[in-house]
Amino acid sequence: VQILLKLWRNGFSLDDGELRSYSDPTNAQFLESVKRGEIPVELQRLVHGGQVNLDMEDHQEQEYVKPRLRFKAFSGEGQKLGSLTPEIVSTPSSPEEEDKSFLNAPVVIDDSMPATKIQIRLADGSRLIQRFNQTHRIKDIRDFIIQSRPAFATTNFVLVTTFPNKELTDESLTLREADILNTVILQQLK
């Protein structure tokens, strides 16, 4: 590990960190170790027994000025976790609302087939979350809304994807064919 120790008129800093006062006993002990040519205990703990290269810069004729943080671009590698289609991570408005959607309007799920969760944001501002098989049709979502909220049975509405906004006009498509697995669907009144 490469560490830069800068000595200032009013204290010292490590790797552009905060100013540490010379009068603090812990800091005085740190500097004594450096003067003896030893690696301070604090740095030994930091590198867990690895090698430490300690460079020093003398700025004792200057007062410490907190350095500006420089932008450092991410230089690591990204790792994809989980499935290609993200799960819905938002929660329903209330636990009772989620229970209501499962209890009042059950959708028959075949556990031997792939399933998905669809969150439906209703025109009245409430939300429903329901598990469907990927082979369920868009019409099944419409039926689920009407079963869950009978007030919408006589209302003319359309189902729309969030981004990009696309009206789901062909209700005979499966959820997989419509490419709406694990998504949010909006109900818009006509």
Side-chain angles (χ1 to χ4, degrees):
V1 176
Q2 189 74 27
I3 297 177
L4 179 60
L5 170 67
K6 292 183 181 179
L7 302 171
W8 305 92
R9 182 181 304 155
N10 52 342
F12 68 95
S13 63
L14 294 173
D15 287 334
D16 291 332
E18 294 292 319
L19 181 70
R20 298 168 72 168
S21 171
Y22 290 130
S23 59
D24 183 334
T26 307
N27 295 338
Q29 189 178 23
F30 182 95
L31 288 175
E32 280 302 313
S33 296
V34 172
K35 285 180 187 174
R36 288 192 305 266
E38 300 170 357
I39 299 298
V41 175
E42 175 186 332
L43 297 181
Q44 289 175 4
R45 272 187 252 137
L46 179 73
V47 298
H48 306 293
Q51 185 175 353
V52 176
N53 292 326
L54 185 65
D55 291 331
M56 292 177 57
E57 288 182 5
D58 185 9
H59 298 277
Q60 290 185 344
E61 69 284 348
Q62 301 170 8
E63 289 287 320
Y64 171 81
V65 177
K66 188 173 181 174
R68 286 189 196 166
L69 293 176
R70 286 177 270 151
F71 174 76
K72 184 178 178 185
F74 177 71
S75 59
E77 290 182 15
Q79 299 291 326
K80 289 185 180 180
L81 301 175
S83 67
L84 293 176
T85 308
E87 278 287 326
I88 299 168
V89 292
S90 59
T91 58
S93 301
S94 67
E96 296 81 28
E97 189 173 317
E98 185 173 7
D99 289 343
K100 216 187 317 180
S101 69
F102 282 105
L103 297 176
N104 292 349
V107 174
V108 179
I109 303 292
D110 181 352
D111 288 325
S112 68
M113 310 243 330
T116 183
K117 268 191 183 176
I118 302 288
Q119 181 184 126
I120 305 153
R121 292 191 186 154
L122 300 174
D124 65 5
S126 62
R127 291 186 291 182
L128 298 171
I129 298 175
Q130 180 60 47
R131 206 166 144 243
F132 293 91
N133 284 116
Q134 294 180 11
T135 54
H136 275 103
R137 307 211 174 265
I138 294 172
K139 180 164 182 13
D140 295 322
I141 295 176
R142 175 179 291 278
D143 294 341
F144 169 72
I145 292 170
I146 292 168
Q147 287 178 333
S148 299
R149 302 289 196 275
F152 289 122
T154 58
T155 308
N156 192 12
F157 66 87
V158 293
L159 299 175
V160 180
T161 61
T162 49
F163 185 78
N165 284 30
K166 180 180 83 175
E167 191 174 321
L168 300 169
T169 53
D170 186 355
E171 295 190 355
S172 65
L173 290 176
T174 66
L175 304 183
R176 184 184 303 120
E177 291 168 344
D179 196 24
I180 58 169
L181 303 179
N182 295 319
T183 60
V184 177
I185 301 297
L186 306 176
Q187 177 200 38
Q188 292 182 347
L189 300 181
K190 279 247 172 186

